[in-house]
């Protein structure tokens, strides 16, 4: 959430913090349930309990600050005489703004907010890898056909969605059962896990797909997998 914040030593007239609501956060926030108003309590004069726009009671939460923007106006440009020429060829002071992002803090805060007790969850936009492929266990009756079919899913996916080609991991520890490898993938938090399981030998082949962030398991054809992955947002 974007909240009104103190400008602190940077100065300027307006500043907003970008906060990820989380119980472990160090900042105290107040929010209008309909999002008209949000502020870090540091900025409030005395007790403010209702929304200035709609009058509803403000809810309190804690947040982790992951970004901060400042509107500086002409505070620095007037001192350093940073001017530009207007379309009328008149010198004008530049309006300035600045921002900071806590890059490593965004990672830590995302994990804090999204993860479960024993497994990491990443938003797709910052997940180190989007996809984990799990081929059949060595010695299983699906082994050869399943591995080849899964490879074809990867090849066709890489061709249709080249931006995901380098965003995939193959868990080829085929001495381990699918269940064991799925458990590891679950802990590491790949947003999608594609498994060549028992149904890979059906005609047409069916793959088991775990959409981890939605908490759902899908049974999809190769085309279905590519269709699903085409909706994934990556940087
Ligand atoms: Zn309101």
């Amino acid at each position: 959430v974007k909240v009104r914040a103190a400008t602190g030593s940077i100065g300027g007239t307006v500043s907003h913090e970008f906060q990820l609501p989380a119980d472990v956060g160090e900042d105290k926030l107040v929010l209008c349930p309909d999002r008209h108003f949000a502020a870090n309590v540091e900025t409030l004069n005395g007790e403010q309990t209702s929304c200035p726009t709609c009058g509803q009671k403000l809810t309190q939460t804690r947040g982790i600050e992951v970004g901060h923007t400042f509107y500086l106006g002409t505070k620095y440009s007037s001192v350093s005489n940073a001017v530009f020429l207007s379309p009328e060829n008149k010198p004008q002071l530049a309006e300035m703004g600045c921002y900071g992002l806590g890059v490593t803090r965004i990672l830590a805060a995302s994990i804090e907010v999204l993860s479960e007790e024993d497994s990491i969850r990443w938003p797709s936009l910052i997940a180190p890898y989007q996809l984990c492929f799990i081929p059949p266990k060595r010695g299983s009756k699906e082994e050869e056909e399943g591995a080849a079919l899964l490879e074809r899913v990867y090849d066709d996916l890489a061709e249709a969605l080249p931006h995901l080609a380098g965003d995939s991991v193959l868990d080829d520890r085929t001495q381990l059962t699918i269940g064991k490898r799925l458990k590891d993938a679950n802990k590491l938090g790949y947003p999608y896990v594609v498994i060549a399981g028992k149904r890979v030998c059906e005609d047409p082949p069916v793959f088991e797909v775990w959409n981890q962030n939605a908490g759902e398991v899908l049974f999809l054809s190769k085309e279905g997998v590519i269709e699903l992955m085409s909706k994934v947002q990556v940087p």
Side-chain angles (χ1 to χ4, degrees):
V1 293
K2 176 176 151 188
V3 303
R4 201 177 71 184
T7 51
S9 56
I10 305 225
T13 50
V14 183
S15 137
H16 286 103
E17 286 168 353
F18 292 78
Q19 296 266 359
L20 206 52
D23 292 340
V24 299
E26 65 175 358
D27 290 314
K28 279 191 193 156
L29 316 173
V30 287
L31 311 169
C32 161
D34 288 336
R35 297 276 179 259
H36 301 117
F37 178 84
N40 188 318
V41 294
E42 283 172 8
T43 64
L44 301 176
N45 296 320
E47 197 82 335
Q48 180 159 5
T49 53
S50 58
C51 171
T53 305
C54 69
Q56 285 191 82
K57 194 167 180 296
L58 298 174
T59 57
Q60 292 203 5
T61 181
R62 301 188 79 94
I64 304 170
E65 182 190 346
V66 291
H68 203 152
T69 54
F70 298 87
Y71 173 57
L72 303 170
T74 56
K75 179 180 158 92
Y76 295 102
S77 54
S78 60
V79 176
S80 56
N81 200 31
V83 294
F84 66 98
L85 293 177
S86 70
E88 295 78 37
N89 230 17
K90 295 214 174 72
Q92 288 190 329
L93 284 173
E95 297 273 334
M96 294 174 62
C98 65
Y99 67 92
L101 291 173
V103 175
T104 49
R105 199 188 288 186
I106 289 172
L107 288 181
S110 302
I111 291 173
E112 173 64 38
V113 171
L114 298 174
S115 297
E116 290 154 28
E117 192 59 37
D118 58 355
S119 41
I120 291 176
R121 288 291 172 268
W122 303 95
S124 271
L125 274 172
I126 59 171
Y129 294 96
Q130 300 300 324
L131 266 161
C132 176
F133 288 99
I134 301 183
K137 184 176 188 311
R138 191 181 304 160
S140 66
K141 69 177 194 301
E142 302 87 18
E143 180 181 4
E144 268 184 44
E145 195 182 349
L149 287 164
L150 196 64
E151 204 161 309
R152 201 166 312 151
V153 174
Y154 173 78
D155 288 343
D156 288 1
L157 183 97
E159 197 181 315
L161 309 167
H163 57 284
L164 291 178
D167 239 342
S168 309
V169 165
L170 172 69
D171 189 343
D172 59 359
R173 298 174 299 161
T174 53
Q175 74 277 17
L176 301 177
T177 62
I178 286 178
K180 174 83 179 81
R181 284 175 286 158
L182 175 61
K183 209 170 160 198
D184 285 348
N186 193 21
K187 278 187 189 163
L188 291 169
Y190 305 104
Y192 296 89
V193 183
V194 181
I195 301 169
K198 293 255 175 291
R199 295 183 60 187
V200 77
C201 295
E202 289 180 14
D203 185 23
V206 175
F207 301 90
E208 184 178 329
V209 181
W210 288 64
N211 179 350
Q212 300 282 37
N213 290 341
E216 62 181 5
V217 187
L218 305 161
F219 290 91
L220 300 172
S221 64
K222 181 181 73 179
E223 291 71 24
V225 175
I226 294 172
E227 160 84 23
L228 176 72
M229 295 308 297
S230 70
K231 297 182 194 125
V232 175
Q233 262 197 313
V234 291

